[in-house]
Amino acid sequence: MTLLINILWVFWIFSLAGWIVHFVPRTIKIRKAVNPGFITLPFLPSYGLGAVACYLLLTRIENLFMAFFASMIVLTVAKYLVSILFERAFGFKWHDQSKKFLNLNGYVSAWEPPVYGAAALLSKIYLFRPLTDSVSAIPDLAALLIGSILTGLIASDFLISCFIVLHLRKNLKQMKNISALLDDNSSDKSDEELRTEYEKKMIQSKRFRRRLVNAFPDMESVNYEKQLADMKVRFDIIRERNDEVYDNKIERPENRPFAYGLSFRKLFWLFFVGSFFGTILETLWAYFTLGHFEMRVGMVWGPFIPVYGGGAVAITLCLYRLHKAGDVIIYLASAVIGATFEYFCSYFLESCFGIISWDYSNTPFNIDGRTNLMFAMIWGLLGLVWLRYIYPTFSRLIEKIPKKTGNYVTVALVIFMIINSVMSVAAVYRMRQRVESRPAENTYMQWVDDTFNDDYMNLLFPHMATPQEWQEALA
């Protein structure tokens, strides 16, 4: 168990460190934040895998001289084999070293092995032991859960990226065939038909171009140089279409659709739907982390968690003008906004009602137990997906609602959510009073006690407790 936990943590921490090592100098050089990784999340799995290999290898080698040469050989051979596999699988040369001095088939250059050996040796001397000692201070179940979740996210993101590249290669092959026909004009189709078909393939491929070009700026296609060059100079069609949602301006009020722009109606619907989907996410999270279904809601009536709805509104308001920024900027901003919002929601609940609905005190990199690094990263991913893809689609759907119908439904839902909020506050307030053996003071409070008794409240909020109860549970 201990070895597995250490492997998981070495993998994700060194994957993150490798991403930072590439991200910072590239950002300084080009003065623009660009994700240097093959995957969307801020990780470079190749660094994590290399670190795991060195960790397993060097824990059995005490001699530093032998450790240097063993790691140098293992990592160089691994880089060579992975480069060949990458080219054979995807048709692209990964980090072409052909122009470097004393390179081996363009896969590995002479300067890399010493760097690998030195990095592995420094990790053995200064990094592996402090890291594993810090992880050992975390309860085994929590450490295993966190390591498994982060590793699973990285693995899932990597698989999705691989499928994207394979689909891209298929499109490039079709585009090459069309381009050849355009060059020799040997087809029965007219040039205009061929150009239309070529453009169609280009549109299908644009959504995948930026990820590869950002991750591998020196990437070269083995078979499709012309098509790859075309893709590097074209904009992402999907992003352009989604950007229209943010940039579209309708001057005449009578021509504006329902919930136009960032109106109150639009923001309320974001809150309402975000609160609903938050319940789905929390339910799935509980199932996969705890192994069983349990109620995860934030209000006494309906499947709503206002933290998610409020987070959707906050991220939309704060990032609305940043839609043209790079993915990394949006990811980091979403992580900060989401974690900050989560922190203040926790602080508000404890200050105003004396309750704690979540506590991350036993997790690494937490802030007062109210939020932590892992959930900030999840907020970052949710915010990026939300701003790029979900919000534009959702905004179009909302604006298709007929104005009159939309106004009536919005008023009804606003009234319902206000009443729901008032009743939720009253139910929580009386629940805390019952714990202190304080009787109902009037008929309304008695009705609240009868309607939202302890069994009902414990079903809705299984993890809600006072700060003292949380401390006793964590002790």
Side-chain angles (χ1 to χ4, degrees):
M1 176 69 79
T2 301
L3 179 60
L4 175 61
I5 292 174
N6 288 341
I7 289 174
L8 293 174
W9 279 74
V10 167
F11 173 74
W12 81 261
I13 286 181
F14 276 84
S15 296
L16 176 62
W19 184 89
I20 295 173
V21 166
H22 281 264
F23 171 76
V24 174
R26 182 179 294 187
T27 300
I28 295 174
K29 180 179 179 180
I30 66 176
R31 298 181 181 180
K32 180 181 179 182
V34 175
N35 185 354
F38 176 62
I39 66 177
T40 302
L41 294 174
F43 296 100
L44 292 182
S46 57
Y47 279 75
L49 292 174
V52 169
C54 291
Y55 173 73
L56 295 175
L57 175 67
L58 300 185
T59 52
R60 294 170 171 80
I61 301 176
E62 295 298 332
N63 185 284
L64 297 182
F65 183 79
M66 291 297 297
F68 173 82
F69 277 95
S71 56
M72 182 177 68
I73 293 171
V74 169
L75 293 179
T76 301
V77 172
K79 167 70 180 308
Y80 186 84
L81 294 177
V82 169
S83 298
I84 294 177
L85 179 63
F86 189 92
E87 182 178 331
R88 297 288 176 83
F90 302 128
F92 300 102
K93 187 178 287 293
W94 176 34
H95 296 305
D96 185 21
Q97 305 290 335
S98 301
K99 298 180 181 179
K100 302 292 184 180
F101 179 68
L102 293 179
N103 68 86
L104 183 59
N105 296 330
Y107 298 128
V108 180
S109 61
W111 67 269
E112 291 181 288
V115 173
Y116 293 156
L121 191 61
L122 291 174
S123 299
K124 172 182 173 60
I125 298 173
Y126 298 108
L127 300 179
F128 286 146
R129 178 58 64 84
L131 172 59
T132 54
D133 289 345
S134 300
V135 174
S136 65
I138 305 172
D140 286 349
L141 182 59
L144 179 62
L145 181 62
I146 295 170
S148 300
I149 291 172
L150 289 174
T151 302
L153 287 173
I154 296 171
S156 300
D157 199 345
F158 179 79
L159 290 176
I160 293 172
S161 298
C162 287
F163 285 123
I164 287 174
V165 177
L166 290 173
H167 187 81
L168 171 62
R169 186 182 183 187
K170 178 182 177 182
N171 278 0
L172 285 173
K173 184 177 181 180
Q174 294 172 333
M175 290 158 59
K176 181 181 180 181
N177 295 334
I178 298 171
S179 179
L181 293 176
L182 279 170
D183 291 338
D184 60 25
N185 197 22
S186 61
S187 171
D188 292 336
K189 294 183 179 180
S190 67
D191 285 356
E192 185 63 31
E193 290 175 321
L194 287 171
R195 288 193 180 91
T196 301
E197 191 172 347
Y198 185 88
E199 290 296 323
K200 182 179 180 181
K201 292 300 177 185
M202 285 297 302
I203 291 174
Q204 293 173 352
S205 300
K206 286 175 184 177
R207 72 181 69 183
F208 310 129
R209 170 197 51 83
R210 186 166 297 179
R211 166 71 14 253
L212 293 175
V213 174
N214 290 342
F216 309 111
D218 55 348
M219 177 183 66
E220 293 184 3
S221 171
V222 178
N223 299 309
Y224 315 112
E225 293 83 359
K226 181 179 183 298
Q227 291 73 27
L228 187 62
D230 289 341
M231 294 176 68
K232 287 182 178 180
V233 300
R234 291 176 178 266
F235 291 100
D236 189 329
I237 290 298
I238 292 179
R239 182 167 297 182
E240 285 184 350
R241 182 170 180 267
N242 286 341
D243 283 347
E244 294 176 359
V245 172
Y246 299 100
D247 297 331
N248 186 34
K249 303 296 181 183
I250 301 177
E251 299 297 335
R252 298 176 64 87
E254 61 271 18
N255 295 332
R256 293 174 181 174
F258 171 73
Y260 169 75
L262 283 185
S263 62
F264 170 79
R265 296 176 180 83
K266 178 70 69 60
L267 294 175
F268 172 77
W269 277 90
L270 296 180
F271 171 80
F272 184 83
V273 177
S275 300
F276 173 76
F277 279 103
T279 301
I280 297 176
L281 289 175
E282 284 287 336
T283 301
L284 294 175
W285 176 270
Y287 177 77
F288 286 111
T289 57
L290 303 178
H292 63 270
F293 284 105
E294 70 176 24
M295 187 72 70
R296 290 291 181 96
V297 296
M299 309 184 83
V300 293
W301 289 328
F304 305 107
I305 300 182
V307 171
Y308 282 86
V313 172
I315 288 175
T316 302
L317 287 173
C318 294
L319 300 183
Y320 192 84
R321 300 300 179 187
L322 291 179
H323 66 96
K324 291 185 178 179
D327 289 348
V328 176
I329 294 295
I330 295 175
Y331 178 90
L332 295 176
S334 300
V336 172
I337 295 169
T340 302
F341 184 78
E342 186 177 35
Y343 182 96
F344 281 105
C345 284
S346 173
Y347 181 82
F348 174 78
L349 288 173
E350 183 175 348
S351 300
C352 296
F353 304 108
I355 61 172
I356 297 177
S357 293
W358 61 86
D359 190 287
Y360 307 137
S361 297
N362 278 346
T363 63
F365 311 111
N366 73 84
I367 303 178
D368 297 334
R370 304 184 190 280
T371 188
N372 62 19
L373 177 61
M374 182 183 72
F375 283 102
M377 293 168 62
I378 294 175
W379 275 109
L381 180 61
L382 291 175
L384 176 61
V385 174
W386 172 265
L387 194 72
R388 285 281 185 247
Y389 303 105
I390 298 178
Y391 172 77
T393 301
F394 185 58
S395 178
R396 294 188 193 98
L397 292 175
I398 293 176
E399 293 179 0
K400 289 181 180 179
I401 300 175
K403 285 187 178 181
K404 188 174 182 180
T405 302
N407 289 332
Y408 284 136
V409 174
T410 301
V411 170
L413 290 178
V414 167
I415 294 174
F416 167 73
M417 293 301 284
I418 291 175
I419 296 175
N420 199 359
S421 300
V422 171
M423 297 309 304
S424 298
V425 170
V428 171
Y429 177 76
R430 277 302 300 156
M431 183 182 181
R432 302 315 316 154
Q433 285 192 328
R434 290 197 297 271
V435 172
E436 300 170 358
S437 301
R438 296 171 61 181
E441 299 177 354
N442 51 52
T443 304
Y444 171 70
M445 290 298 183
Q446 185 60 53
W447 177 83
V448 172
D449 285 348
D450 295 337
T451 305
F452 309 108
N453 54 46
D454 289 341
D455 291 337
Y456 184 80
M457 295 297 287
N458 289 329
L459 174 65
L460 292 182
F461 312 113
H463 300 289
M464 186 172 64
T466 64
Q468 294 76 16
E469 291 170 340
W470 272 105
Q471 290 298 327
E472 294 174 0
L474 296 173

